[in-house]
Amino acid sequence: MSQPGAVVLIVEDEPQMRRFLRTALVGQGFRVVEAGTAQEAVAAATTQHPEVILLDLGLPDADGIDLTRQVRDWSQVPIIVISARGREDDKVAALDAGADDYLTKPFGVNELLARIRVALRHAVQAASVSGSPLLEIGPLHLDLARREVTVAGREVHLTPIEYRLLVLLAQNAGKVLTHRQILKEVWGPPYANETHYLRVFMAQLRRKIEPDPARPRLLITEPGVGYRMRDL
């Protein structure tokens, strides 16, 4: 089910695609605001207060990645990029700029709706637990005050870096984090390009919290881009 009446801002210069998205979203109970240019998008975002932005990167008056950075200067509204650009470099650039998710055209309506539901749920959780010391994602339970981690009731002992990595992913459950974003947050800016560190520690973390590390259910790899904590 969608969040009743949630406002979705569609930023897309192709009328046919806007019509497709509007029909799909209105049919699920969303309220839709449309913009065909970056300038219109900024005006709509500041006056209509959308709860999710669907953003095409190829706008006539600006690049969508630049628009993402501009929005992030004053808002944390979830941004889902919908673009024909399918290269990993484009995905990484959009996510590094502050986008929450990335869908490559063409995509199915059900996948889009699922991504929107996750974005809305994550935004609500982030607002409601911003001061809470407890995080729960499926079988994973984190007590930030006590620095305790349990999986299905079993206590898990983590190294300091493993713990920081897990907390970062859990606090952003449902959101794709790029290698660079994770490395800067966990290891610090000088390590932003040391992706081998991240691979090693993710493998260690999976061995400790995943029932089957070879088929992870919580810590999902986004190939060539980064990682996502599945929002169960």
Side-chain angles (χ1 to χ4, degrees):
M1 294 293 290
S2 65
Q3 184 171 315
V7 178
V8 179
L9 170 58
I10 299 171
V11 185
E12 166 66 65
D13 65 326
E14 295 182 13
Q16 188 174 0
M17 177 58 74
R18 283 207 307 272
R19 188 160 54 248
F20 162 74
L21 293 170
R22 180 175 65 248
T23 301
L25 295 175
V26 170
Q28 292 295 315
F30 292 102
R31 290 189 292 141
V32 171
V33 178
E34 299 178 32
T37 66
Q39 184 176 1
E40 291 175 359
V42 171
T46 54
T47 59
Q48 301 297 317
H49 307 294
E51 283 139 288
V52 177
I53 296 176
L54 302 182
L55 174 63
D56 180 38
L57 296 182
L59 300 173
D61 58 338
D63 187 85
I65 292 174
D66 293 330
L67 177 58
T68 298
R69 293 194 187 97
Q70 185 178 350
V71 171
R72 280 291 170 261
D73 285 340
W74 50 270
S75 175
Q76 291 303 309
V77 59
I79 298 174
I80 301 174
V81 170
I82 49 172
S83 177
R85 301 183 199 172
R87 297 187 310 131
E88 289 176 357
D89 288 350
D90 292 317
K91 295 180 181 180
V92 170
L95 293 164
D96 275 340
D100 295 80
D101 207 345
Y102 196 112
L103 267 175
T104 303
K105 298 176 182 176
F107 50 81
V109 171
N110 288 338
E111 183 178 9
L112 173 65
L113 293 172
R115 300 290 183 96
I116 291 174
R117 286 194 296 269
V118 168
L120 286 169
R121 188 163 63 245
H122 179 251
V124 170
Q125 289 171 345
S128 64
V129 304
S130 58
S132 171
L134 302 177
L135 291 172
E136 292 189 42
I137 299 102
L140 178 65
H141 180 96
L142 289 87
D143 187 327
L144 304 183
R146 298 183 179 185
R147 296 178 67 88
E148 290 180 353
V149 178
T150 59
V151 178
R154 171 180 58 88
E155 188 172 359
V156 177
H157 298 283
L158 303 178
T159 68
I161 285 184
E162 289 169 351
Y163 178 77
R164 289 203 299 272
L165 179 56
L166 183 63
V167 169
L168 176 66
L169 291 164
Q171 288 176 329
N172 291 277
K175 177 177 178 178
V176 179
L177 298 179
T178 66
H179 299 125
R180 179 181 293 271
Q181 288 172 326
I182 298 170
L183 286 160
K184 286 172 66 177
E185 287 290 331
V186 176
W187 280 269
Y191 296 88
N193 296 312
E194 305 292 341
T195 54
H196 60 286
Y197 286 1
L198 185 52
R199 285 196 298 272
V200 169
F201 277 89
M202 284 297 295
Q204 293 175 186
L205 200 52
R206 280 173 170 155
R207 282 196 292 270
K208 292 184 177 183
I209 73 167
E210 295 279 5
D212 183 355
R215 297 177 178 83
R217 293 187 64 248
L218 281 172
L219 302 175
I220 308 303
T221 299
E222 297 288 341
V225 177
Y227 297 94
R228 178 204 305 259
M229 170 77 76
R230 180 170 284 160
D231 189 5
L232 298 174

